[in-house]
Amino acid sequence: IFNACEGAPLNIQNNTTISSGTIKWNWKFGDGDSSALKSPSHQYSKFGAYKITLFAEANGCVSEESKTAFQFAKPTANFTSTGICANSPINFESSSTIGDNSYVGHSWTFENNEFGTLSKEDYTFTSNGDKDVKLITTTKFGCKDSITKTISVADSPLADFSVGQACDIDPTSITNLSNENGLSVTYLWSFGDGNTSTDKDPQSYQYSDLGNK
């Protein structure tokens, strides 16, 4: 018996032999269905373990053999995403399901053939536009499902700045190196001592005490 995933038939190889006579086949698949073929295939409507029995009749004699077949559960791939901005992490979380609640592995494909293998992945797109994200879910028995969604990524500024040497008696110089990407941008600076600024380029800041900021 060659077990299979949901949605695919199980193939059966009949190895019965006889030295003389013609064999009549009678298969019972354990779900109410039967077959008179020598080596049939059968697809179950639901995952699970099933007892398959073969009755082979020839010359007035009947031989019986039973084995267990498995129709493995197949996952249904799905995911959600949180976040829409380029240059900022977008969270992708699998919401895939499987009927027997068994373990499902994950394989994500983002742009530039970058991959991820966790059920939750953060990915940062460096440009705006429609981006295809693919998730493949796989069980320990090799049953797979996949889904591809198009994520609309919005353009956003890319924050960056440099600071000069920090001394206790001189203001620390600050240079705003952010790329606004042609957008209308607001700024919020936090200087690490509880003070903030909304200036685009504060240029310098005077700390009142020593230490890491």
Side-chain angles (χ1 to χ4, degrees), residues 46-47 51 58 63 96 102 111 117 120 125 127 134 155 168 205:
K46 183 176 174 58
F47 67 87
K51 181 181 178 181
S63 177
S96 304
S102 60
E111 65 179 355
T117 57
K120 297 180 180 180
F125 295 97
S127 62
K134 183 177 182 180
D155 205 357
D168 61 336
Y205 183 75

Side-chain angles (χ1 to χ4, degrees), residues 89-187:
I90 296 178
N91 175 259
F92 295 91
E93 182 173 356
S94 172
S95 55
S96 304
T97 58
I98 186 169
D100 62 359
N101 296 315
S102 60
Y103 172 79
V104 174
H106 299 83
S107 176
W108 301 87
T109 303
F110 303 102
E111 65 179 355
N112 301 321
N113 289 323
E114 296 188 53
F115 299 96
T117 57
L118 302 177
S119 61
K120 297 180 180 180
E121 290 283 353
D122 288 336
Y123 186 81
T124 301
F125 295 97
T126 57
S127 62
N128 66 310
D130 290 341
K131 312 291 185 179
D132 288 339
V133 176
K134 183 177 182 180
L135 171 63
I136 301 173
T137 53
T138 308
T139 70
K140 63 181 179 180
F141 298 111
C143 302
K144 296 183 178 182
D145 191 35
S146 66
I147 186 171
T148 300
K149 292 185 179 183
T150 300
I151 308 300
S152 295
V153 179
D155 205 357
S156 66
L158 181 60
D160 191 16
F161 67 94
S162 65
V163 295
Q165 186 174 359
C167 299
D168 61 336
I169 60 174
D170 295 321
T172 300
S173 64
I174 301 173
T175 302
N176 188 347
L177 302 174
S178 301
N179 185 347
E180 296 183 346
N181 289 323
L183 303 172
S184 177
V185 179
T186 59
Y187 291 89

Side-chain angles (χ1 to χ4, degrees), residues 47-61:
F47 67 87
Y50 296 87
K51 181 181 178 181
I52 296 180
T53 302
L54 169 62
F55 299 91
E57 181 180 353
N59 304 320
C61 303

